[in-house]
């Protein structure tokens, strides 16, 4: 019997940090953390965005897993934004996805 993939999706291309858990075509959770720090500057400051992603990515992913009611060891794949976007912000998502993939994902699929 075919088992639907359980995917953690990470978005960190600009100024919001987001994570979702998807089972096949069903969205189990979708969590977003906004970065209000940019309001004072009238636009997105790339360095501040990168630093905010670093501090928000773990809590956002934890919340997404909690809302989906799954353990990270149950994941079959991880998806993350590769571009377009702010380079530093994209690197945060890339690094986090690769770390979680190596320590938690059953078959080490990253897309």
């Amino acid at each position: 019997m075919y088992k639907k993939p359980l995917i953690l999706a990470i978005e960190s291309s600009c100024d919001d940090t987001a994570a979702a858990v998807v089972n096949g075509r069903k969205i189990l959770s979708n969590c977003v953390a906004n970065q209000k720090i940019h309001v004072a500057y009238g636009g997105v400051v790339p360095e501040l965005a990168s630093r905010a992603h670093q501090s928000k990515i773990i809590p956002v992913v934890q919340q997404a897993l909690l809302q989906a009611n799954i353990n990270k060891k149950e994941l079959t794949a991880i998806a993350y934004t590769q571009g377009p976007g702010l380079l530093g912000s994209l690197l945060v998502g890339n690094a986090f996805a690769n770390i979680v993939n190596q320590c938690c994902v059953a078959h080490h699929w990253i897309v």
Side-chain angles (χ1 to χ4, degrees):
M1 184 172 143
Y2 173 73
K3 185 176 179 182
K4 294 179 183 174
L6 194 57
I7 301 169
L8 170 65
I10 298 170
E11 204 297 302
S12 65
S13 63
C14 191
D15 62 334
D16 289 341
T17 307
V21 177
V22 181
N23 189 4
R25 293 178 178 252
K26 183 178 181 184
I27 298 170
L28 303 179
S29 66
N30 183 25
C31 300
V32 180
N34 300 85
Q35 296 180 6
K36 305 217 184 291
I37 191 167
H38 303 290
V39 173
Y41 300 97
V44 176
V45 180
E47 178 63 22
L48 295 178
S50 300
R51 290 173 186 260
H53 284 302
Q54 289 176 354
S55 68
K56 294 182 179 196
I57 197 162
I58 291 173
V60 167
V61 168
Q62 287 176 333
Q63 184 64 31
L65 293 170
L66 185 66
Q67 283 183 9
N69 196 30
I70 67 152
N71 183 296
K72 60 189 172 197
K73 298 283 185 184
E74 297 176 73
L75 296 170
T76 54
I78 301 205
Y80 68 95
T81 306
Q82 293 182 321
L86 302 173
L87 182 58
S89 296
L90 292 168
L91 287 172
V92 171
N94 171 286
F96 186 82
N98 278 288
I99 289 167
V100 172
N101 183 50
Q102 290 301 312
C103 70
C104 302
V105 177
H107 300 291
H108 300 294
W109 290 5
I110 192 160
V111 292

